[in-house]
């Protein structure tokens, strides 16, 4: 029992550290900034942060989410990345550690890459191919560290990438523009390789439902807000222009797919098999 607690504590702490690192990587790589230099600093006053200001989770809470010097707000996404990654690493330790240390480590690294991909899309609406290559490598490692069902993995690639490619094609024919990024298609193709056809179907279902709920609410709020502003200015033309802008507005989709993939890693096959058992 004591050993288990120690293992869980180690995974949680390492997860918090990796969360801080992945947030920094996502922020810098997509902006063409070196991940080594310059050292961590405040974006507003550019003061270099001391070591005690870089303690994952703890420093953000103690400082109230603000720079100690100028009082500028620290981005909450980095803090959330630290907390979420720490919790996910802990869950990996609980669920997968007894299946093998190697598998648990590879899964932890995979989760970190997925979070980096999600953050990159949120920050810049762009996902570097280097993240996809790393995800592919780790996905292959996950497959090799478990009992292999090659047919399921191949079908998973076809379903994960194929369904989104179909949506991409149909959307382009209707809208005459891209309705999603090619990176989203690559992401789900690799996820299909790693998860198999059951897991990737579950991931797509969770990701799409989550996106519909969140983006649906966000869209309603934006429409109500824009029309309220237009009415206050007594301008019907501005209201129409705002509606057109919102119609063509793009949103990052990868974060929702990442949520689905992470859910599938932990409970995908279990939930899918339980669902099938209702009809068999």
């Amino acid at each position: 029992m004591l050993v288990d607690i120690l293992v869980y504590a180690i995974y949680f702490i390492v997860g918090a550290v990796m969360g801080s690192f992945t947030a920094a990587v996502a922020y810098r790589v997509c902006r063409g900034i070196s991940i080594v230099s310059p050292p961590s600093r405040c974006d507003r006053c550019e003061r270099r942060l001391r070591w005690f200001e870089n303690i994952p989770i703890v420093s953000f809470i103690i400082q109230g989410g603000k720079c100690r010097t100028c009082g500028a707000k620290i981005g909450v996404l980095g803090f959330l990345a630290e907390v979420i990654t720490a919790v996910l690493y802990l869950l990996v330790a609980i669920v997968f550690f007894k299946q093998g240390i190697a598998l648990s480590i590879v899964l932890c690294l995979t989760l970190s890459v997925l979070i980096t991909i999600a953050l990159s899309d949120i920050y810049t609406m762009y996902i570097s191919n280097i993240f996809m290559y790393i995800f592919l490598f780790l996905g292959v490692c996950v497959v090799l560290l478990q009992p292999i069902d090659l047919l399921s993995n191949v079908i998973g690639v076809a379903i994960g990438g194929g369904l989104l490619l179909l949506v991409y094609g149909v959307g382009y024919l209707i809208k005459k523009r891209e309705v999603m990024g090619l990176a989203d298609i690559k992401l789900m193709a690799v996820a299909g390789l790693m998860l198999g056809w059951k897991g990737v179907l579950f991931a797509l279902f969770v990701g799409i439902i989550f996106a519909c709920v969140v983006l649906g609410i966000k869209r309603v709020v934006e429409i109500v807000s824009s029309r309220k502003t237009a009415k206050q200015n007594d301008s019907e033309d501005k209201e129409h222009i705002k509606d057109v802008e919102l119609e063509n507005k793009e949103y990052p989709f990868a974060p929702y797919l990442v949520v689905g993939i992470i859910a599938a890693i932990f409970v995908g096959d279990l939930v899918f098999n339980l669902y099938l058992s209702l009809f068999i």
Side-chain angles (χ1 to χ4, degrees):
M1 183 65 179
L2 184 59
V3 174
D4 289 341
I5 294 175
L6 179 60
V7 169
Y8 298 158
I10 291 173
Y11 272 69
F12 184 88
I13 293 171
V14 173
V17 174
M18 287 297 293
S20 179
F21 176 71
T22 55
V25 169
Y27 184 86
R28 291 183 176 221
V29 168
C30 291
R31 288 171 171 80
I33 305 173
S34 169
I35 62 174
V36 177
S37 179
S40 298
R41 60 183 181 179
C42 173
D43 288 336
R44 190 165 83 176
C45 68
E46 298 188 346
R47 179 183 62 83
R48 181 174 176 177
L49 302 183
R50 304 285 297 277
W51 67 268
F52 52 82
E53 295 175 281
N54 273 322
I55 301 174
I57 301 176
V58 177
S59 294
F60 185 92
I61 295 174
I62 292 177
Q63 294 170 203
K66 297 179 180 179
C67 173
R68 290 173 57 249
T69 302
C70 65
K73 290 185 178 180
I74 302 172
V76 71
L77 280 178
F79 172 71
L80 291 176
E82 293 169 0
V83 174
I84 291 171
T85 308
V87 172
L88 289 175
Y89 272 44
L90 175 60
L91 290 175
V92 168
I94 294 172
V95 177
F96 295 103
F97 184 76
K98 292 183 179 178
Q99 296 182 31
I101 296 177
L103 176 61
S104 67
I105 291 175
V106 171
L107 283 174
C108 284
L109 294 175
T110 301
L111 292 170
S112 289
V113 174
L114 287 170
I115 291 173
T116 305
I117 288 171
L119 288 173
S120 297
D121 205 20
I122 292 172
Y123 283 140
T124 62
M125 295 280 287
Y126 169 76
I127 302 171
S128 173
N129 279 330
I130 187 65
F131 298 145
M132 290 298 177
Y133 296 145
I134 297 173
F135 181 38
L136 175 60
F137 172 76
L138 292 171
V140 172
C141 290
V142 170
V143 172
L144 296 177
L145 288 170
Q146 299 181 95
I148 296 177
D149 184 354
L150 188 58
L151 180 59
S152 175
N153 299 123
V154 171
I155 295 175
V157 174
I159 291 176
L163 286 179
L164 288 192
L165 184 61
L166 179 63
V167 173
Y168 177 91
V170 173
Y172 194 86
L173 289 174
I174 296 174
K175 295 275 190 176
K176 305 303 180 183
R177 62 182 177 85
E178 292 185 343
V179 296
M180 69 170 61
L182 291 175
D184 299 326
I185 299 172
K186 298 175 187 176
L187 175 65
M188 292 313 298
V190 178
L193 173 67
M194 181 179 71
L195 299 170
W197 70 272
K198 293 180 183 178
V200 79
L201 275 177
F202 179 79
L204 282 169
F205 176 78
V206 172
I208 291 172
I209 293 298
F210 187 45
C212 287
V213 172
V214 175
L215 294 180
I217 294 173
K218 186 174 183 179
R219 188 70 175 271
V220 170
V221 171
E222 288 176 342
I223 291 173
V224 171
S225 177
S226 66
R227 291 185 177 179
K228 184 178 179 180
T229 302
K231 286 180 179 179
Q232 288 175 346
N233 296 330
D234 295 324
S235 175
E236 293 184 1
D237 290 337
K238 286 185 177 180
E239 182 176 336
H240 175 70
I241 292 172
K242 284 288 184 181
D243 286 346
V244 173
E245 289 177 352
L246 288 174
E247 180 68 25
N248 295 322
K249 187 174 181 179
E250 297 181 350
Y251 301 90
F253 189 40
Y256 305 100
L257 296 175
V258 165
V259 169
I261 295 169
I262 291 174
I265 287 173
F266 289 101
V267 298
D269 281 349
L270 175 63
V271 173
F272 198 95
N273 289 332
L274 286 174
Y275 177 77
L276 288 180
S277 68
L278 297 175
F279 304 95
I280 299 177

